[in-house]
Amino acid sequence: MKVYIAGIDGYLGWPLAQCLAARGHEIAGGDCLLRRRWVTEMGSHSAIPIAPMRERQAAFEKHFGGFTYREGNVQNYAFVKEAFRAFQPDAIVHLAECPSAPYSMIDVHHAVWTQTNNIVSTLNILFAMRDVCPQAHLVKLGTMGEYGTPNLDIPEGSFEIEYRGRTETLPFPRQAGSWYHLSKVHDSHNVAFACKIWGLRSTDIMQGVVFGTRIDEMGDDPRLLTRLDFDEGFGTVINRYCCQAVIGHPLTPFGQGQQRRGFLPLRDSMQCMTLAIENPPGAGEYRVFNQFEEVYNVTELAHKVRAAGEELGLDVKVRRIENPRLEMEEHYYNPDHEHLLDLGYQPTPVDGELHVMLADLMEHRARIEEKRNVLIPAIRWDGTRQRSQFLSEE
Ligand code: USQ
């Protein structure tokens, strides 16, 4: 298949290109390298050094036979339309969004920027598909955070309701917890609407929190490695914990530490997106996959990272810290996730992946140590900015 990846330079886009190319798909992609700039803005850098795009292209050429790359911004409709016209994709994976809840909560400018970027980019892709490649399949990254943490079981996208003797299938109510997560809610509505009125086909992937440093296709070529962020904006919780563990910084569950989320290793995120791409929906179909492997609370996860770290000789402490976010810290959480398992998804155990990650990160201890100050969060949901204080000794 011909697969276009919008956001091919990012944490997920770069390994996805490799994973798909290794399976024989033809790849094209675009990026405007914003993720590199955002992390610099947060005063940080990737724990794992990443190569400039030109070197990435050379490595890809050597291992997988090359891909078509154009630098450009998906907020520019002409860029998107021309990219699709030139490549004529069978599938489009949209990863070119700003993925950070804290970044969107900094101030009005970051909230407006995140929502504008995310919503405009998706609209541009939908219109370009309509006009250039209406048969293509849009694989759109949504987030489990669109549902929030309701005191109900969470289905995959929609649920049936009976009212006054009639049965209706409705989208499950969205209760997002940040301006970023809300941008994904708006995207979901826009994508579903485009499928309905134009007959486009799409898979909206409600992805849980991804963690991990590698996929097998990267082998031992450092130019193929993907980034691994640990700042409060772009480092997800397990990635942050693992970086904290390797430099002897306490792991930082926020608040009560009972927040439950679905998690999945990077290699499983690749596997699931590949399954979605290789099993497209029919014309006009908008389908939703909940994509995660296991549900944990953030304290259980800290203990898992501590256990894995101790096996590698690390001295790991866990200390709860003031929660800069407004979120439920103890809650019911029971989301469904059958669709990908039905397509053949084979989950990777979380514990084994933690060992791989910690071993990779131990080689870059000095880079993490250099940016140690970004491990304490300061972006608060009430709009103030103040470094959180530790709440517990352990
Ligand atoms: N958390 C801690 N300690 C930390 C960092 C985070 O306890 O040091 C907690 C947060 O308070 C939150 C949970 O861990 O309750 C997850 O936070 P996160 O920063 O790992 O993830 P989140 O902000 O939810 O966003 C990430 C990705 C986003 C994706 C989302 C999936 O950045 O792109 O949409 O995960 S989900 O969480 O399922 O909505």
Side-chain angles (χ1 to χ4, degrees):
M1 277 183 169
K2 296 174 78 169
V3 185
Y4 182 87
I5 302 175
I8 200 166
D9 186 55
Y11 177 51
L12 302 180
W14 183 233
L16 182 65
Q18 298 171 45
C19 173
L20 292 172
R23 293 175 65 86
H25 297 295
E26 186 183 342
I27 308 298
D31 210 300
C32 57
L33 312 180
L34 279 176
R35 174 65 171 263
R36 297 179 188 233
R37 295 226 303 262
W38 294 325
V39 174
T40 306
E41 182 187 340
M42 299 303 293
S44 191
H45 57 205
S46 167
I48 294 178
I50 54 168
M53 185 44 97
R54 227 174 296 113
E55 286 176 31
R56 284 187 155 183
Q57 282 176 279
F60 204 98
E61 178 78 42
K62 176 176 168 205
H63 297 282
F64 308 107
F67 69 103
T68 308
Y69 175 70
R70 284 184 201 197
E71 192 165 319
N73 192 331
V74 274
Q75 283 198 52
N76 173 355
Y77 181 64
F79 169 77
V80 179
K81 190 172 177 188
E82 174 53 23
F84 293 179
R85 194 204 55 74
F87 186 59
Q88 294 293 325
D90 300 306
I92 295 148
V93 187
H94 182 15
L95 303 170
E97 295 200 340
C98 182
S100 168
Y103 189 81
S104 75
M105 300 301 287
I106 292 175
D107 57 19
V108 61
H109 307 293
H110 290 79
V112 169
W113 197 90
T114 301
Q115 289 215 351
T116 305
N117 180 72
N118 292 0
I119 296 165
V120 169
S121 65
T122 298
L123 281 172
N124 282 343
I125 286 174
L126 292 168
F127 273 82
M129 286 176 70
R130 182 196 70 173
D131 292 347
V132 177
C133 48
Q135 296 306 317
H137 169 205
L138 174 63
V139 177
K140 167 73 178 59
L141 254 259
T143 165
M144 286 299 294
E146 291 185 36
Y147 303 119
T149 52
N151 196 23
L152 295 170
D153 294 342
I154 299 174
E156 292 200 84
S158 57
F159 72 122
E160 287 194 347
I161 185 166
E162 280 189 36
Y163 187 66
R164 293 187 173 167
R166 290 174 190 274
T167 306
E168 178 74 312
T169 303
L170 292 173
F172 190 74
R174 292 346 196 209
Q175 298 188 69
S178 72
W179 299 119
Y180 152 72
H181 285 99
L182 278 161
S183 74
K184 296 284 194 178
V185 174
H186 306 321
D187 277 345
S188 287
H189 291 142
N190 289 344
V191 174
F193 184 63
C195 291
K196 186 152 82 182
I197 58 170
W198 298 331
L200 301 184
R201 65 189 89 216
S202 176
T203 307
D204 201 351
I205 295 185
M206 304 299 156
Q207 186 167 252
V209 187
V210 180
F211 66 97
T213 45
R214 61 172 56 245
I215 59 169
D216 292 343
E217 287 79 357
M218 290 169 180
D220 56 9
D221 189 333
R223 298 170 301 174
L224 294 178
L225 295 178
T226 194
R227 58 182 312 118
L228 194 291
D229 293 308
F230 54 99
D231 63 282
E232 66 172 314
F234 296 90
T236 51
V237 60
I238 304 185
N239 289 353
R240 281 167 53 79
Y241 283 171
C242 288
C243 289
Q244 289 166 337
V246 302
I247 63 162
H249 186 287
L251 314 193
T252 53
F254 291 167
Q256 293 303 311
Q258 302 300 304
Q259 303 91 309
R260 293 167 67 76
R261 297 287 185 275
F263 293 89
L264 81 166
L266 181 64
R267 61 182 87 240
D268 286 17
S269 169
M270 302 298 114
Q271 190 195 147
C272 292
M273 282 193 272
T274 302
L275 280 168
I277 292 164
E278 293 178 353
N279 297 279
E285 189 181 342
Y286 166 76
R287 73 181 174 184
V288 175
F289 289 172
N290 290 351
Q291 177 175 293
F292 62 90
E293 146 57 355
E294 290 173 46
V295 171
Y296 294 106
N297 73 43
V298 296
T299 300
E300 287 167 342
L301 278 174
H303 292 154
K304 278 184 172 294
V305 171
R306 182 172 60 189
E310 283 171 352
E311 281 172 33
L312 293 169
L314 298 169
D315 178 18
V316 184
K317 303 243 180 312
V318 179
R319 288 180 72 187
R320 291 186 297 108
I321 191 167
E322 266 182 289
N323 194 344
R325 307 181 180 202
L326 269 179
E327 62 183 355
M328 302 268 280
E329 293 180 358
E330 197 155 16
H331 56 90
Y332 182 76
Y333 197 60
N334 187 26
D336 196 2
H337 62 137
E338 290 306 312
H339 291 168
L340 280 160
L341 294 169
D342 291 347
L343 284 179
Y345 166 38
Q346 295 186 326
T348 308
V350 167
D351 296 304
E353 202 57 32
L354 293 178
H355 277 92
V356 174
M357 271 186 90
L358 287 166
D360 278 341
L361 289 168
M362 282 163 76
E363 292 186 22
H364 301 291
R365 200 176 251 143
R367 281 180 68 84
I368 303 167
E369 185 68 59
E370 191 191 326
K371 300 289 183 185
R372 189 183 183 93
N373 63 322
V374 305
L375 291 167
I376 301 291
I379 301 168
R380 301 198 169 197
W381 260 224
D382 65 6
T384 59
R385 213 152 173 182
Q386 204 181 333
R387 282 164 70 81
S388 293
Q389 302 295 316
F390 282 106
L391 296 170
S392 69
E393 294 291 340
E394 195 179 310

